[in-house]
Amino acid sequence: MGGSTSWGAGDAASFGWERLKRDPAVIIGAMFVVGLAAGFPNIIGGGIQAALAADAPGVGSAVQGLMQLVGLVISSYFAGGLSLLLLKVARGQPYAFNDILAGGQWFLPILGAQLLTSIAVFVGAIFLIVPGVILGLGLSMTTMCIVDKNLGTIDAMKESWRITTGHKGGLFVYALLALALMLGGLLACCLGTIVAAPITALGYAYIYLRLTGQPIGS
């Protein structure tokens, strides 16, 4: 791996769109399954909380909190496999839908990273929002670092911060672009998010490879 190479937010989004067009079924299918699996506990918890809002609001809130924790655990498991798939796509390597099931080997480091990142961003956000945004941008490549370099939680967070140094402005612009894509997808009867989400995710894989000086698949 060499040093970081130049990239732009528009380049990342264009890359995601071009890769998605080549194999929409597998990429969209993988994103949909992962999103559904991670979000389903929150849906259940929200329904139970709403049902108990009048008679037992405390119990409903407790159930919702528990289901959010379950959702975090599930998303941490699938995050490793999904990152593996996205990196393979970005590199032009052979990949398969079953790659999303390969996250077990990185489960604990990713779970730890998600918990620590959430705490760090929350604490940073208390101080006028801006520190929280900076922390979020600097730690945004942690999962990719865990999967690609097989690092532990703390080492991956440090590596994410290192490779994003000098690039947080660009990452912020890409985050705004990704948000615009997702909002556009929501306005399109929500169906557009099925396309916007994988484009955004592939864009992040592209940025990671650029930040670490790795080749991009043709």
Side-chain angles (χ1 to χ4, degrees), residues 2-218:
S4 62
T5 52
S6 61
W7 60 277
D11 297 332
S14 296
F15 177 87
W17 170 241
E18 291 300 324
R19 288 302 182 276
L20 180 63
K21 288 193 299 183
R22 297 181 185 182
D23 190 8
V26 171
I27 298 173
I28 290 177
M31 291 286 296
F32 180 78
V33 169
V34 171
L36 183 64
F40 193 63
N42 291 327
I43 295 174
I44 294 177
I48 294 175
Q49 184 178 29
L52 297 176
D55 299 325
V59 175
S61 297
V63 171
Q64 172 68 335
L66 176 62
M67 297 309 290
Q68 287 178 343
L69 181 60
V70 171
L72 177 64
V73 170
I74 293 174
S75 68
S76 296
Y77 172 79
F78 280 109
L82 182 60
S83 294
L84 176 65
L85 185 148
L86 293 172
L87 286 171
K88 285 183 175 181
V89 173
R91 288 177 174 135
Q93 298 173 339
Y95 62 90
F97 178 85
N98 288 343
D99 285 331
I100 64 173
L101 302 177
Q105 58 188 310
W106 303 295
F107 168 66
L108 289 179
I110 290 176
L111 177 61
Q114 291 206 9
L115 288 171
L116 290 178
T117 298
S118 297
I119 293 171
V121 171
F122 175 76
V123 172
I126 294 176
F127 297 97
L128 302 178
I129 305 296
V130 175
V133 173
I134 294 173
L135 282 170
L137 295 171
L139 300 176
S140 61
M141 298 295 161
T142 300
T143 298
M144 293 282 183
C145 289
I146 291 173
V147 173
D148 185 42
K149 302 183 178 184
N150 202 30
L151 297 175
T153 297
I154 301 300
D155 288 339
M157 294 174 74
K158 290 179 179 178
E159 179 65 4
S160 177
W161 189 266
R162 184 188 71 81
I163 65 176
T164 57
T165 298
H167 297 276
K168 292 181 179 65
L171 287 167
F172 181 68
V173 173
Y174 183 71
L176 292 178
L177 178 57
L179 177 62
L181 289 173
M182 294 301 293
L183 288 175
L186 288 172
L187 292 175
C189 301
C190 296
L191 295 177
T193 57
I194 296 175
V195 174
I199 290 174
T200 299
L202 286 168
Y204 274 110
Y206 169 90
I207 293 171
Y208 172 80
L209 294 180
R210 287 299 192 194
L211 292 177
T212 53
Q214 299 184 55
I216 306 294
S218 58

